[in-house]
Amino acid sequence: MHPDYRDQLPSLNRIEGQIKGIKKMIEDRRYCVDILTQLKAVKAAIHRVEQDVLKTHMHHCLRHAVESKSEQDIKVKIDELMQLLSKRI
């Protein structure tokens, strides 16, 4: 069973609103630095959500694999995380 991430929905809704605000700023030809400031704020908010999901994954999914004492499950979870963390996006 996967963890429940519904507690992240308010943050994601705020981020969605920020993105809409940035689109409006671009349509209104607002000052570049103001747009960049808002983009940085969105990136920071997304990073916070990402960190919360990662923490929950480690506390739930990774811990479950370790508690199962299945070397294969543990390896799969660790490899998944390593692959994800090594991606350059």
Side-chain angles (χ1 to χ4, degrees), residues 43-80:
K43 284 175 60 173
I46 290 171
H47 182 73
R48 282 190 299 276
V49 171
E50 176 186 23
Q51 292 301 302
D52 288 344
V53 171
L54 176 60
K55 181 179 178 182
T56 300
H57 173 69
M58 292 176 73
H59 280 284
H60 182 269
C61 302
L62 184 58
R63 188 174 90 202
H64 179 71
V66 170
E67 289 173 351
S68 76
K69 297 185 180 173
S70 165
E71 290 297 321
Q72 180 60 29
D73 287 349
I74 295 167
K75 181 183 180 336
V76 166
K77 294 299 179 199
I78 290 172
D79 289 348
E80 283 176 344

PDB file of all heavy atoms in Angstrom, residues 43-80:
ATOM      1  N   LYS A  43       9.962  27.194  -7.578  1.00  0.00           N
ATOM      2  CA  LYS A  43      10.968  26.124  -7.475  1.00  0.00           C
ATOM      3  C   LYS A  43      11.175  25.712  -6.021  1.00  0.00           C
ATOM      4  O   LYS A  43      11.285  24.522  -5.710  1.00  0.00           O
ATOM      5  CB  LYS A  43      12.287  26.573  -8.101  1.00  0.00           C
ATOM      6  CG  LYS A  43      12.288  26.563  -9.610  1.00  0.00           C
ATOM      7  CD  LYS A  43      13.563  27.131 -10.204  1.00  0.00           C
ATOM      8  CE  LYS A  43      14.787  26.362  -9.793  1.00  0.00           C
ATOM      9  NZ  LYS A  43      16.011  26.822 -10.496  1.00  0.00           N
ATOM     10  N   ALA A  44      11.227  26.680  -5.121  1.00  0.00           N
ATOM     11  CA  ALA A  44      11.417  26.378  -3.696  1.00  0.00           C
ATOM     12  C   ALA A  44      10.224  25.611  -3.144  1.00  0.00           C
ATOM     13  O   ALA A  44      10.389  24.651  -2.379  1.00  0.00           O
ATOM     14  CB  ALA A  44      11.641  27.668  -2.913  1.00  0.00           C
ATOM     15  N   ALA A  45       9.023  26.000  -3.544  1.00  0.00           N
ATOM     16  CA  ALA A  45       7.813  25.315  -3.070  1.00  0.00           C
ATOM     17  C   ALA A  45       7.762  23.882  -3.593  1.00  0.00           C
ATOM     18  O   ALA A  45       7.420  22.948  -2.848  1.00  0.00           O
ATOM     19  CB  ALA A  45       6.573  26.093  -3.497  1.00  0.00           C
ATOM     20  N   ILE A  46       8.117  23.688  -4.845  1.00  0.00           N
ATOM     21  CA  ILE A  46       8.162  22.337  -5.420  1.00  0.00           C
ATOM     22  C   ILE A  46       9.216  21.501  -4.702  1.00  0.00           C
ATOM     23  O   ILE A  46       8.990  20.326  -4.394  1.00  0.00           O
ATOM     24  CB  ILE A  46       8.416  22.386  -6.943  1.00  0.00           C
ATOM     25  CG1 ILE A  46       7.187  22.940  -7.660  1.00  0.00           C
ATOM     26  CG2 ILE A  46       8.787  21.006  -7.479  1.00  0.00           C
ATOM     27  CD1 ILE A  46       7.399  23.236  -9.130  1.00  0.00           C
ATOM     28  N   HIS A  47      10.340  22.112  -4.402  1.00  0.00           N
ATOM     29  CA  HIS A  47      11.406  21.394  -3.691  1.00  0.00           C
ATOM     30  C   HIS A  47      10.925  20.927  -2.317  1.00  0.00           C
ATOM     31  O   HIS A  47      11.219  19.803  -1.906  1.00  0.00           O
ATOM     32  CB  HIS A  47      12.640  22.282  -3.568  1.00  0.00           C
ATOM     33  CG  HIS A  47      13.792  21.615  -2.904  1.00  0.00           C
ATOM     34  ND1 HIS A  47      14.546  20.646  -3.517  1.00  0.00           N
ATOM     35  CD2 HIS A  47      14.292  21.744  -1.656  1.00  0.00           C
ATOM     36  CE1 HIS A  47      15.471  20.212  -2.677  1.00  0.00           C
ATOM     37  NE2 HIS A  47      15.336  20.866  -1.535  1.00  0.00           N
ATOM     38  N   ARG A  48      10.165  21.774  -1.609  1.00  0.00           N
ATOM     39  CA  ARG A  48       9.632  21.380  -0.302  1.00  0.00           C
ATOM     40  C   ARG A  48       8.692  20.181  -0.430  1.00  0.00           C
ATOM     41  O   ARG A  48       8.760  19.240   0.371  1.00  0.00           O
ATOM     42  CB  ARG A  48       8.921  22.550   0.368  1.00  0.00           C
ATOM     43  CG  ARG A  48       9.878  23.562   0.987  1.00  0.00           C
ATOM     44  CD  ARG A  48       9.149  24.586   1.850  1.00  0.00           C
ATOM     45  NE  ARG A  48       8.183  25.389   1.109  1.00  0.00           N
ATOM     46  CZ  ARG A  48       8.475  26.481   0.413  1.00  0.00           C
ATOM     47  NH1 ARG A  48       9.722  26.904   0.347  1.00  0.00           N
ATOM     48  NH2 ARG A  48       7.542  27.147  -0.215  1.00  0.00           N
ATOM     49  N   VAL A  49       7.819  20.196  -1.431  1.00  0.00           N
ATOM     50  CA  VAL A  49       6.911  19.058  -1.652  1.00  0.00           C
ATOM     51  C   VAL A  49       7.727  17.818  -1.975  1.00  0.00           C
ATOM     52  O   VAL A  49       7.474  16.731  -1.435  1.00  0.00           O
ATOM     53  CB  VAL A  49       5.883  19.363  -2.770  1.00  0.00           C
ATOM     54  CG1 VAL A  49       5.100  18.116  -3.154  1.00  0.00           C
ATOM     55  CG2 VAL A  49       4.938  20.483  -2.343  1.00  0.00           C
ATOM     56  N   GLU A  50       8.714  17.970  -2.843  1.00  0.00           N
ATOM     57  CA  GLU A  50       9.569  16.844  -3.213  1.00  0.00           C
ATOM     58  C   GLU A  50      10.246  16.243  -1.979  1.00  0.00           C
ATOM     59  O   GLU A  50      10.280  15.019  -1.805  1.00  0.00           O
ATOM     60  CB  GLU A  50      10.630  17.298  -4.219  1.00  0.00           C
ATOM     61  CG  GLU A  50      11.613  16.211  -4.592  1.00  0.00           C
ATOM     62  CD  GLU A  50      12.750  16.721  -5.470  1.00  0.00           C
ATOM     63  OE1 GLU A  50      13.048  17.939  -5.451  1.00  0.00           O
ATOM     64  OE2 GLU A  50      13.351  15.889  -6.164  1.00  0.00           O
ATOM     65  N   GLN A  51      10.770  17.095  -1.116  1.00  0.00           N
ATOM     66  CA  GLN A  51      11.446  16.615   0.087  1.00  0.00           C
ATOM     67  C   GLN A  51      10.483  15.891   1.028  1.00  0.00           C
ATOM     68  O   GLN A  51      10.829  14.865   1.622  1.00  0.00           O
ATOM     69  CB  GLN A  51      12.125  17.779   0.817  1.00  0.00           C
ATOM     70  CG  GLN A  51      13.290  18.371   0.066  1.00  0.00           C
ATOM     71  CD  GLN A  51      14.379  17.345  -0.215  1.00  0.00           C
ATOM     72  OE1 GLN A  51      14.922  16.741   0.694  1.00  0.00           O
ATOM     73  NE2 GLN A  51      14.685  17.144  -1.483  1.00  0.00           N
ATOM     74  N   ASP A  52       9.266  16.401   1.150  1.00  0.00           N
ATOM     75  CA  ASP A  52       8.262  15.746   1.998  1.00  0.00           C
ATOM     76  C   ASP A  52       7.886  14.373   1.447  1.00  0.00           C
ATOM     77  O   ASP A  52       7.752  13.408   2.203  1.00  0.00           O
ATOM     78  CB  ASP A  52       7.009  16.611   2.135  1.00  0.00           C
ATOM     79  CG  ASP A  52       7.232  17.836   3.010  1.00  0.00           C
ATOM     80  OD1 ASP A  52       8.237  17.868   3.747  1.00  0.00           O
ATOM     81  OD2 ASP A  52       6.401  18.758   2.943  1.00  0.00           O
ATOM     82  N   VAL A  53       7.716  14.276   0.135  1.00  0.00           N
ATOM     83  CA  VAL A  53       7.381  12.988  -0.484  1.00  0.00           C
ATOM     84  C   VAL A  53       8.546  12.013  -0.326  1.00  0.00           C
ATOM     85  O   VAL A  53       8.345  10.835   0.011  1.00  0.00           O
ATOM     86  CB  VAL A  53       6.982  13.167  -1.972  1.00  0.00           C
ATOM     87  CG1 VAL A  53       6.839  11.828  -2.680  1.00  0.00           C
ATOM     88  CG2 VAL A  53       5.677  13.964  -2.074  1.00  0.00           C
ATOM     89  N   LEU A  54       9.763  12.496  -0.528  1.00  0.00           N
ATOM     90  CA  LEU A  54      10.932  11.635  -0.367  1.00  0.00           C
ATOM     91  C   LEU A  54      11.049  11.133   1.068  1.00  0.00           C
ATOM     92  O   LEU A  54      11.282   9.945   1.302  1.00  0.00           O
ATOM     93  CB  LEU A  54      12.202  12.390  -0.763  1.00  0.00           C
ATOM     94  CG  LEU A  54      13.528  11.655  -0.547  1.00  0.00           C
ATOM     95  CD1 LEU A  54      13.582  10.356  -1.347  1.00  0.00           C
ATOM     96  CD2 LEU A  54      14.688  12.570  -0.898  1.00  0.00           C
ATOM     97  N   LYS A  55      10.865  12.016   2.028  1.00  0.00           N
ATOM     98  CA  LYS A  55      10.939  11.627   3.436  1.00  0.00           C
ATOM     99  C   LYS A  55       9.882  10.566   3.763  1.00  0.00           C
ATOM    100  O   LYS A  55      10.189   9.559   4.407  1.00  0.00           O
ATOM    101  CB  LYS A  55      10.746  12.853   4.326  1.00  0.00           C
ATOM    102  CG  LYS A  55      10.825  12.563   5.802  1.00  0.00           C
ATOM    103  CD  LYS A  55      10.648  13.848   6.598  1.00  0.00           C
ATOM    104  CE  LYS A  55      10.665  13.575   8.078  1.00  0.00           C
ATOM    105  NZ  LYS A  55      10.449  14.809   8.848  1.00  0.00           N
ATOM    106  N   THR A  56       8.673  10.779   3.298  1.00  0.00           N
ATOM    107  CA  THR A  56       7.607   9.805   3.537  1.00  0.00           C
ATOM    108  C   THR A  56       7.938   8.478   2.866  1.00  0.00           C
ATOM    109  O   THR A  56       7.736   7.410   3.457  1.00  0.00           O
ATOM    110  CB  THR A  56       6.254  10.343   3.033  1.00  0.00           C
ATOM    111  OG1 THR A  56       5.960  11.556   3.728  1.00  0.00           O
ATOM    112  CG2 THR A  56       5.136   9.345   3.259  1.00  0.00           C
ATOM    113  N   HIS A  57       8.464   8.533   1.653  1.00  0.00           N
ATOM    114  CA  HIS A  57       8.846   7.311   0.941  1.00  0.00           C
ATOM    115  C   HIS A  57       9.877   6.534   1.749  1.00  0.00           C
ATOM    116  O   HIS A  57       9.771   5.314   1.912  1.00  0.00           O
ATOM    117  CB  HIS A  57       9.406   7.639  -0.443  1.00  0.00           C
ATOM    118  CG  HIS A  57       9.962   6.453  -1.163  1.00  0.00           C
ATOM    119  ND1 HIS A  57       9.163   5.441  -1.641  1.00  0.00           N
ATOM    120  CD2 HIS A  57      11.237   6.116  -1.471  1.00  0.00           C
ATOM    121  CE1 HIS A  57       9.931   4.517  -2.217  1.00  0.00           C
ATOM    122  NE2 HIS A  57      11.193   4.913  -2.121  1.00  0.00           N
ATOM    123  N   MET A  58      10.851   7.238   2.269  1.00  0.00           N
ATOM    124  CA  MET A  58      11.900   6.565   3.029  1.00  0.00           C
ATOM    125  C   MET A  58      11.354   5.989   4.335  1.00  0.00           C
ATOM    126  O   MET A  58      11.701   4.873   4.719  1.00  0.00           O
ATOM    127  CB  MET A  58      13.056   7.520   3.279  1.00  0.00           C
ATOM    128  CG  MET A  58      13.795   7.861   1.988  1.00  0.00           C
ATOM    129  SD  MET A  58      15.094   9.060   2.205  1.00  0.00           S
ATOM    130  CE  MET A  58      16.302   8.063   3.031  1.00  0.00           C
ATOM    131  N   HIS A  59      10.491   6.735   4.998  1.00  0.00           N
ATOM    132  CA  HIS A  59       9.926   6.261   6.268  1.00  0.00           C
ATOM    133  C   HIS A  59       8.926   5.134   6.065  1.00  0.00           C
ATOM    134  O   HIS A  59       8.728   4.313   6.968  1.00  0.00           O
ATOM    135  CB  HIS A  59       9.260   7.407   7.024  1.00  0.00           C
ATOM    136  CG  HIS A  59      10.223   8.274   7.754  1.00  0.00           C
ATOM    137  ND1 HIS A  59      10.830   7.909   8.923  1.00  0.00           N
ATOM    138  CD2 HIS A  59      10.699   9.506   7.450  1.00  0.00           C
ATOM    139  CE1 HIS A  59      11.638   8.872   9.325  1.00  0.00           C
ATOM    140  NE2 HIS A  59      11.592   9.849   8.445  1.00  0.00           N
ATOM    141  N   HIS A  60       8.275   5.096   4.931  1.00  0.00           N
ATOM    142  CA  HIS A  60       7.237   4.093   4.700  1.00  0.00           C
ATOM    143  C   HIS A  60       7.751   2.951   3.823  1.00  0.00           C
ATOM    144  O   HIS A  60       7.880   1.813   4.277  1.00  0.00           O
ATOM    145  CB  HIS A  60       6.006   4.756   4.068  1.00  0.00           C
ATOM    146  CG  HIS A  60       4.880   3.811   3.831  1.00  0.00           C
ATOM    147  ND1 HIS A  60       4.735   3.126   2.647  1.00  0.00           N
ATOM    148  CD2 HIS A  60       3.864   3.416   4.617  1.00  0.00           C
ATOM    149  CE1 HIS A  60       3.661   2.352   2.717  1.00  0.00           C
ATOM    150  NE2 HIS A  60       3.118   2.503   3.897  1.00  0.00           N
ATOM    151  N   CYS A  61       8.042   3.242   2.584  1.00  0.00           N
ATOM    152  CA  CYS A  61       8.368   2.209   1.600  1.00  0.00           C
ATOM    153  C   CYS A  61       9.734   1.566   1.862  1.00  0.00           C
ATOM    154  O   CYS A  61       9.851   0.336   1.856  1.00  0.00           O
ATOM    155  CB  CYS A  61       8.317   2.783   0.185  1.00  0.00           C
ATOM    156  SG  CYS A  61       6.710   3.500  -0.235  1.00  0.00           S
ATOM    157  N   LEU A  62      10.735   2.403   2.075  1.00  0.00           N
ATOM    158  CA  LEU A  62      12.074   1.865   2.320  1.00  0.00           C
ATOM    159  C   LEU A  62      12.112   1.114   3.653  1.00  0.00           C
ATOM    160  O   LEU A  62      12.667   0.018   3.737  1.00  0.00           O
ATOM    161  CB  LEU A  62      13.113   2.981   2.294  1.00  0.00           C
ATOM    162  CG  LEU A  62      14.570   2.556   2.452  1.00  0.00           C
ATOM    163  CD1 LEU A  62      14.972   1.564   1.354  1.00  0.00           C
ATOM    164  CD2 LEU A  62      15.479   3.760   2.428  1.00  0.00           C
ATOM    165  N   ARG A  63      11.492   1.695   4.676  1.00  0.00           N
ATOM    166  CA  ARG A  63      11.459   1.023   5.977  1.00  0.00           C
ATOM    167  C   ARG A  63      10.733  -0.316   5.882  1.00  0.00           C
ATOM    168  O   ARG A  63      11.173  -1.311   6.455  1.00  0.00           O
ATOM    169  CB  ARG A  63      10.800   1.905   7.026  1.00  0.00           C
ATOM    170  CG  ARG A  63      10.934   1.309   8.439  1.00  0.00           C
ATOM    171  CD  ARG A  63      10.422   2.223   9.480  1.00  0.00           C
ATOM    172  NE  ARG A  63       9.018   1.893   9.651  1.00  0.00           N
ATOM    173  CZ  ARG A  63       8.110   2.710  10.154  1.00  0.00           C
ATOM    174  NH1 ARG A  63       8.444   3.926  10.495  1.00  0.00           N
ATOM    175  NH2 ARG A  63       6.872   2.332  10.289  1.00  0.00           N
ATOM    176  N   HIS A  64       9.645  -0.348   5.128  1.00  0.00           N
ATOM    177  CA  HIS A  64       8.899  -1.599   4.941  1.00  0.00           C
ATOM    178  C   HIS A  64       9.793  -2.666   4.289  1.00  0.00           C
ATOM    179  O   HIS A  64       9.775  -3.829   4.691  1.00  0.00           O
ATOM    180  CB  HIS A  64       7.651  -1.351   4.095  1.00  0.00           C
ATOM    181  CG  HIS A  64       6.843  -2.566   3.828  1.00  0.00           C
ATOM    182  ND1 HIS A  64       6.107  -3.204   4.799  1.00  0.00           N
ATOM    183  CD2 HIS A  64       6.674  -3.291   2.696  1.00  0.00           C
ATOM    184  CE1 HIS A  64       5.519  -4.268   4.282  1.00  0.00           C
ATOM    185  NE2 HIS A  64       5.839  -4.338   3.001  1.00  0.00           N
ATOM    186  N   ALA A  65      10.563  -2.255   3.306  1.00  0.00           N
ATOM    187  CA  ALA A  65      11.472  -3.205   2.645  1.00  0.00           C
ATOM    188  C   ALA A  65      12.517  -3.725   3.629  1.00  0.00           C
ATOM    189  O   ALA A  65      12.810  -4.922   3.658  1.00  0.00           O
ATOM    190  CB  ALA A  65      12.140  -2.554   1.442  1.00  0.00           C
ATOM    191  N   VAL A  66      13.068  -2.839   4.450  1.00  0.00           N
ATOM    192  CA  VAL A  66      14.077  -3.248   5.426  1.00  0.00           C
ATOM    193  C   VAL A  66      13.467  -4.197   6.456  1.00  0.00           C
ATOM    194  O   VAL A  66      14.060  -5.229   6.798  1.00  0.00           O
ATOM    195  CB  VAL A  66      14.717  -2.016   6.110  1.00  0.00           C
ATOM    196  CG1 VAL A  66      15.574  -2.427   7.293  1.00  0.00           C
ATOM    197  CG2 VAL A  66      15.531  -1.218   5.096  1.00  0.00           C
ATOM    198  N   GLU A  67      12.274  -3.857   6.927  1.00  0.00           N
ATOM    199  CA  GLU A  67      11.619  -4.702   7.930  1.00  0.00           C
ATOM    200  C   GLU A  67      11.235  -6.066   7.370  1.00  0.00           C
ATOM    201  O   GLU A  67      11.134  -7.036   8.123  1.00  0.00           O
ATOM    202  CB  GLU A  67      10.403  -3.993   8.513  1.00  0.00           C
ATOM    203  CG  GLU A  67      10.788  -2.834   9.419  1.00  0.00           C
ATOM    204  CD  GLU A  67       9.605  -1.999   9.879  1.00  0.00           C
ATOM    205  OE1 GLU A  67       8.478  -2.197   9.368  1.00  0.00           O
ATOM    206  OE2 GLU A  67       9.822  -1.140  10.758  1.00  0.00           O
ATOM    207  N   SER A  68      11.030  -6.144   6.055  1.00  0.00           N
ATOM    208  CA  SER A  68      10.685  -7.433   5.440  1.00  0.00           C
ATOM    209  C   SER A  68      11.889  -8.373   5.425  1.00  0.00           C
ATOM    210  O   SER A  68      11.740  -9.574   5.238  1.00  0.00           O
ATOM    211  CB  SER A  68      10.192  -7.235   3.999  1.00  0.00           C
ATOM    212  OG  SER A  68      11.283  -6.976   3.124  1.00  0.00           O
ATOM    213  N   LYS A  69      13.084  -7.799   5.597  1.00  0.00           N
ATOM    214  CA  LYS A  69      14.350  -8.543   5.588  1.00  0.00           C
ATOM    215  C   LYS A  69      14.613  -9.250   4.261  1.00  0.00           C
ATOM    216  O   LYS A  69      15.429 -10.147   4.182  1.00  0.00           O
ATOM    217  CB  LYS A  69      14.410  -9.519   6.754  1.00  0.00           C
ATOM    218  CG  LYS A  69      14.368  -8.798   8.075  1.00  0.00           C
ATOM    219  CD  LYS A  69      14.542  -9.702   9.237  1.00  0.00           C
ATOM    220  CE  LYS A  69      14.485  -8.806  10.458  1.00  0.00           C
ATOM    221  NZ  LYS A  69      14.467  -9.385  11.691  1.00  0.00           N
ATOM    222  N   SER A  70      13.909  -8.801   3.224  1.00  0.00           N
ATOM    223  CA  SER A  70      14.133  -9.341   1.886  1.00  0.00           C
ATOM    224  C   SER A  70      15.248  -8.531   1.232  1.00  0.00           C
ATOM    225  O   SER A  70      15.077  -7.346   0.926  1.00  0.00           O
ATOM    226  CB  SER A  70      12.862  -9.249   1.043  1.00  0.00           C
ATOM    227  OG  SER A  70      13.156  -9.439  -0.319  1.00  0.00           O
ATOM    228  N   GLU A  71      16.383  -9.180   1.029  1.00  0.00           N
ATOM    229  CA  GLU A  71      17.511  -8.491   0.400  1.00  0.00           C
ATOM    230  C   GLU A  71      17.127  -7.941  -0.968  1.00  0.00           C
ATOM    231  O   GLU A  71      17.569  -6.861  -1.357  1.00  0.00           O
ATOM    232  CB  GLU A  71      18.715  -9.432   0.297  1.00  0.00           C
ATOM    233  CG  GLU A  71      19.351  -9.765   1.620  1.00  0.00           C
ATOM    234  CD  GLU A  71      19.929  -8.549   2.333  1.00  0.00           C
ATOM    235  OE1 GLU A  71      20.512  -7.676   1.654  1.00  0.00           O
ATOM    236  OE2 GLU A  71      19.786  -8.472   3.562  1.00  0.00           O
ATOM    237  N   GLN A  72      16.318  -8.671  -1.710  1.00  0.00           N
ATOM    238  CA  GLN A  72      15.885  -8.216  -3.042  1.00  0.00           C
ATOM    239  C   GLN A  72      15.030  -6.949  -2.933  1.00  0.00           C
ATOM    240  O   GLN A  72      15.250  -5.996  -3.682  1.00  0.00           O
ATOM    241  CB  GLN A  72      15.107  -9.332  -3.760  1.00  0.00           C
ATOM    242  CG  GLN A  72      14.618  -8.952  -5.143  1.00  0.00           C
ATOM    243  CD  GLN A  72      15.742  -8.576  -6.115  1.00  0.00           C
ATOM    244  OE1 GLN A  72      16.864  -9.065  -6.012  1.00  0.00           O
ATOM    245  NE2 GLN A  72      15.446  -7.697  -7.040  1.00  0.00           N
ATOM    246  N   ASP A  73      14.063  -6.917  -2.002  1.00  0.00           N
ATOM    247  CA  ASP A  73      13.223  -5.723  -1.830  1.00  0.00           C
ATOM    248  C   ASP A  73      14.064  -4.519  -1.404  1.00  0.00           C
ATOM    249  O   ASP A  73      13.859  -3.411  -1.894  1.00  0.00           O
ATOM    250  CB  ASP A  73      12.125  -5.976  -0.798  1.00  0.00           C
ATOM    251  CG  ASP A  73      11.031  -6.894  -1.309  1.00  0.00           C
ATOM    252  OD1 ASP A  73      11.002  -7.182  -2.531  1.00  0.00           O
ATOM    253  OD2 ASP A  73      10.203  -7.334  -0.487  1.00  0.00           O
ATOM    254  N   ILE A  74      14.993  -4.740  -0.494  1.00  0.00           N
ATOM    255  CA  ILE A  74      15.853  -3.656  -0.033  1.00  0.00           C
ATOM    256  C   ILE A  74      16.683  -3.124  -1.196  1.00  0.00           C
ATOM    257  O   ILE A  74      16.768  -1.908  -1.412  1.00  0.00           O
ATOM    258  CB  ILE A  74      16.772  -4.138   1.115  1.00  0.00           C
ATOM    259  CG1 ILE A  74      15.931  -4.501   2.340  1.00  0.00           C
ATOM    260  CG2 ILE A  74      17.821  -3.081   1.457  1.00  0.00           C
ATOM    261  CD1 ILE A  74      16.691  -5.265   3.414  1.00  0.00           C
ATOM    262  N   LYS A  75      17.269  -4.024  -1.977  1.00  0.00           N
ATOM    263  CA  LYS A  75      18.083  -3.621  -3.125  1.00  0.00           C
ATOM    264  C   LYS A  75      17.264  -2.824  -4.129  1.00  0.00           C
ATOM    265  O   LYS A  75      17.721  -1.790  -4.630  1.00  0.00           O
ATOM    266  CB  LYS A  75      18.694  -4.843  -3.795  1.00  0.00           C
ATOM    267  CG  LYS A  75      19.578  -4.503  -4.992  1.00  0.00           C
ATOM    268  CD  LYS A  75      20.115  -5.737  -5.666  1.00  0.00           C
ATOM    269  CE  LYS A  75      20.990  -5.485  -6.864  1.00  0.00           C
ATOM    270  NZ  LYS A  75      20.858  -4.269  -7.595  1.00  0.00           N
ATOM    271  N   VAL A  76      16.053  -3.277  -4.404  1.00  0.00           N
ATOM    272  CA  VAL A  76      15.190  -2.579  -5.369  1.00  0.00           C
ATOM    273  C   VAL A  76      14.901  -1.161  -4.889  1.00  0.00           C
ATOM    274  O   VAL A  76      15.012  -0.196  -5.658  1.00  0.00           O
ATOM    275  CB  VAL A  76      13.876  -3.368  -5.600  1.00  0.00           C
ATOM    276  CG1 VAL A  76      12.834  -2.516  -6.310  1.00  0.00           C
ATOM    277  CG2 VAL A  76      14.145  -4.630  -6.396  1.00  0.00           C
ATOM    278  N   LYS A  77      14.537  -1.009  -3.618  1.00  0.00           N
ATOM    279  CA  LYS A  77      14.205   0.323  -3.094  1.00  0.00           C
ATOM    280  C   LYS A  77      15.423   1.243  -3.102  1.00  0.00           C
ATOM    281  O   LYS A  77      15.329   2.415  -3.469  1.00  0.00           O
ATOM    282  CB  LYS A  77      13.635   0.227  -1.674  1.00  0.00           C
ATOM    283  CG  LYS A  77      12.309  -0.460  -1.599  1.00  0.00           C
ATOM    284  CD  LYS A  77      11.262   0.275  -2.414  1.00  0.00           C
ATOM    285  CE  LYS A  77       9.938  -0.467  -2.337  1.00  0.00           C
ATOM    286  NZ  LYS A  77       9.028  -0.092  -3.400  1.00  0.00           N
ATOM    287  N   ILE A  78      16.567   0.727  -2.700  1.00  0.00           N
ATOM    288  CA  ILE A  78      17.785   1.546  -2.699  1.00  0.00           C
ATOM    289  C   ILE A  78      18.174   1.921  -4.130  1.00  0.00           C
ATOM    290  O   ILE A  78      18.499   3.080  -4.406  1.00  0.00           O
ATOM    291  CB  ILE A  78      18.929   0.829  -1.967  1.00  0.00           C
ATOM    292  CG1 ILE A  78      18.613   0.774  -0.468  1.00  0.00           C
ATOM    293  CG2 ILE A  78      20.262   1.515  -2.230  1.00  0.00           C
ATOM    294  CD1 ILE A  78      19.564  -0.062   0.337  1.00  0.00           C
ATOM    295  N   ASP A  79      18.110   0.959  -5.044  1.00  0.00           N
ATOM    296  CA  ASP A  79      18.446   1.244  -6.446  1.00  0.00           C
ATOM    297  C   ASP A  79      17.498   2.279  -7.047  1.00  0.00           C
ATOM    298  O   ASP A  79      17.933   3.157  -7.809  1.00  0.00           O
ATOM    299  CB  ASP A  79      18.434  -0.036  -7.281  1.00  0.00           C
ATOM    300  CG  ASP A  79      19.604  -0.958  -6.969  1.00  0.00           C
ATOM    301  OD1 ASP A  79      20.560  -0.519  -6.278  1.00  0.00           O
ATOM    302  OD2 ASP A  79      19.563  -2.124  -7.421  1.00  0.00           O
ATOM    303  N   GLU A  80      16.198   2.181  -6.712  1.00  0.00           N
ATOM    304  CA  GLU A  80      15.224   3.172  -7.196  1.00  0.00           C
ATOM    305  C   GLU A  80      15.628   4.572  -6.737  1.00  0.00           C
ATOM    306  O   GLU A  80      15.634   5.513  -7.538  1.00  0.00           O
ATOM    307  CB  GLU A  80      13.819   2.883  -6.647  1.00  0.00           C
ATOM    308  CG  GLU A  80      13.084   1.781  -7.292  1.00  0.00           C
ATOM    309  CD  GLU A  80      11.748   1.513  -6.612  1.00  0.00           C
ATOM    310  OE1 GLU A  80      11.497   1.961  -5.477  1.00  0.00           O
ATOM    311  OE2 GLU A  80      10.937   0.820  -7.248  1.00  0.00           O
TER     312      GLU A  80
END
